[in-house]
Amino acid sequence: MTRPAVPTSPSVQSRALAQLLMNGLRPLGDRLRITAWPHLRVARDMFDTVGLTPMPRGAQVKPIADGDVHGLWITGRDADPANGVVLYLHGGGFVFGSRRTHKHLVAALSAATGRPAFLVDYRRAPEHPFPAAADDALAGYRWLLRNGHAPESITVMGDSAGGHLVAGLLADLSRRRLPMPAAAVMFSPFLDLTCAELADRDRVRRDPFVPPQRALECGRTYAGEYALTHSRLNVLRANKRRWPPVLIQVGDTECLLGDSERMAESIRAAGVHCELQVWPGQVHVFPAFYPVLPEGRAAISYVGGFVRDLAGDRNAIAAAS
């Protein structure tokens, strides 16, 4: 399947969005501690308004509540579970973001991949610090296995803090010798909770969206009483030899770009395929802005091709054996 090429320069829409965020949201993030009440409630309410974004045509949504596992089963247009399924872990710095903020993005990814998606409604900090979200991600994966989805039919995806949960899930599966999914996709992953490089990168090129001090605040809030170097939190140092193929999409305006670069380097050093795409002029988790960004639509289309091509390769190998 032909996949869209990464553009060499940002669109007019992308430039306008970056400027809007730089002048509006970034100054607020510089001033406000978002994990303290009532700022956290305001931040959660603000991000939940993203849920007003219209769902893609033909998408269907079914709430899931099975014991400790909660979320949304989202079926995009023409998606078929016979093709496989997606497990999605949303972003939001571990403290905000929800199934409401991400259902439109997951519906678009479901349509692009031709697979239904389970959007996990994991517990958030500070009410539920680590390891709550990581445990919920593992529970969501096991729920798919219990419901008859073979590991080789599952693709795990996540954005920002959800990218950390994706990496943590793969590390947990490897550590426990559990079966790996077919592939993983990370959008602008937030991986180094110590935020060691963020301030330096932000001084060189100011991030339109993510203030480094707010990222560190979120990482520390999620870690709670645990050290940021704890083995389940330090996903960049995880053993990656059993990991499946990974696709990472990130914008070059992001102070978190170094996290993606270091993750890609460590995956490749383990002998695992990793494709790192750095999109010029794009902000944090730019595919979520697909209703207004042509690059967002192209990135989602590329993910669809990546997942479908991997399935085609597996089918060809099975037919030849």
Side-chain angles (χ1 to χ4, degrees), residues 170-253:
L170 296 179
D172 283 345
L173 295 176
S174 180
R175 195 178 295 114
R176 297 165 184 253
R177 306 303 296 177
L178 293 172
M180 283 287 180
V185 180
M186 304 179 196
F187 305 101
S188 304
F190 174 28
L191 302 169
D192 180 1
L193 302 189
T194 71
C195 302
E197 299 180 350
L198 269 57
D200 289 342
R201 282 183 174 270
D202 194 59
R203 277 191 289 269
V204 173
R205 183 176 186 180
R206 186 171 170 81
D207 189 311
F209 197 169
V210 178
Q213 64 269 36
R214 296 289 80 80
L216 181 58
E217 178 188 348
C218 288
R220 286 175 172 166
T221 300
Y222 173 56
E225 64 182 18
Y226 290 87
L228 296 174
T229 53
H230 185 279
S231 58
R232 288 184 75 193
L233 291 172
N234 192 358
V235 294
L236 287 171
R237 292 185 62 86
N239 186 332
K240 303 175 177 66
R241 284 179 299 208
R242 292 186 59 234
W243 284 26
V246 177
L247 169 65
I248 303 174
Q249 293 181 332
V250 63
D252 72 355
T253 71

Side-chain angles (χ1 to χ4, degrees), residues 58-84:
Q60 299 177 359
V61 179
K62 176 184 176 183
I64 297 294
D66 186 356
D68 293 334
V69 176
H70 298 84
L72 295 178
W73 187 256
I74 299 176
T75 305
R77 190 173 186 176
D78 298 327
D80 186 342
N83 298 328

Side-chain angles (χ1 to χ4, degrees), residues 57-310:
R57 183 176 300 176
Q60 299 177 359
V61 179
K62 176 184 176 183
I64 297 294
D66 186 356
D68 293 334
V69 176
H70 298 84
L72 295 178
W73 187 256
I74 299 176
T75 305
R77 190 173 186 176
D78 298 327
D80 186 342
N83 298 328
V85 295
V86 171
L87 176 72
Y88 197 91
L89 302 166
H90 70 76
F94 307 103
V95 299
F96 48 92
S98 66
R99 60 188 189 178
R100 290 180 293 279
T101 61
H102 282 70
K103 63 183 180 180
H104 74 289
L105 171 60
V106 176
L109 289 165
S110 171
T113 60
R115 292 152 171 75
F118 179 44
L119 170 57
V120 180
D121 193 10
Y122 60 81
R123 291 168 291 171
R124 300 175 298 186
E127 298 95 328
H128 304 284
F130 174 81
D135 289 347
D136 290 349
L138 182 59
Y141 184 80
R142 284 175 154 163
W143 181 84
L144 288 176
L145 297 180
R146 288 200 309 272
N147 281 273
H149 301 285
E152 62 270 17
S153 74
I154 301 172
T155 301
V156 296
M157 301 186 187
D159 65 280
S160 193
H164 188 284
L165 294 175
V166 166
L169 173 60
L170 296 179
D172 283 345
L173 295 176
S174 180
R175 195 178 295 114
R176 297 165 184 253
R177 306 303 296 177
L178 293 172
M180 283 287 180
V185 180
M186 304 179 196
F187 305 101
S188 304
F190 174 28
L191 302 169
D192 180 1
L193 302 189
T194 71
C195 302
E197 299 180 350
L198 269 57
D200 289 342
R201 282 183 174 270
D202 194 59
R203 277 191 289 269
V204 173
R205 183 176 186 180
R206 186 171 170 81
D207 189 311
F209 197 169
V210 178
Q213 64 269 36
R214 296 289 80 80
L216 181 58
E217 178 188 348
C218 288
R220 286 175 172 166
T221 300
Y222 173 56
E225 64 182 18
Y226 290 87
L228 296 174
T229 53
H230 185 279
S231 58
R232 288 184 75 193
L233 291 172
N234 192 358
V235 294
L236 287 171
R237 292 185 62 86
N239 186 332
K240 303 175 177 66
R241 284 179 299 208
R242 292 186 59 234
W243 284 26
V246 177
L247 169 65
I248 303 174
Q249 293 181 332
V250 63
D252 72 355
T253 71
E254 301 190 50
C255 62
L256 288 167
L257 173 58
D259 284 23
S260 293
E261 293 172 336
R262 291 157 63 195
M263 175 58 78
E265 181 181 359
S266 66
I267 292 172
R268 292 166 182 163
V272 175
H273 173 78
C274 180
E275 185 173 352
L276 172 63
Q277 294 184 330
V278 182
W279 291 64
Q282 300 310 306
V283 300
H284 188 57
V285 195
F286 68 93
F289 297 95
Y290 74 86
V292 296
L293 292 187
E295 290 91 345
R297 295 189 289 276
I300 290 172
S301 178
Y302 193 96
V303 171
F306 173 79
V307 173
R308 291 172 188 261
D309 287 349
L310 282 177

Side-chain angles (χ1 to χ4, degrees), residues 43-60:
R44 286 176 174 173
D45 289 346
M46 284 179 55
F47 273 82
D48 275 358
T49 62
V50 178
L52 300 175
T53 303
M55 293 286 282
R57 183 176 300 176
Q60 299 177 359

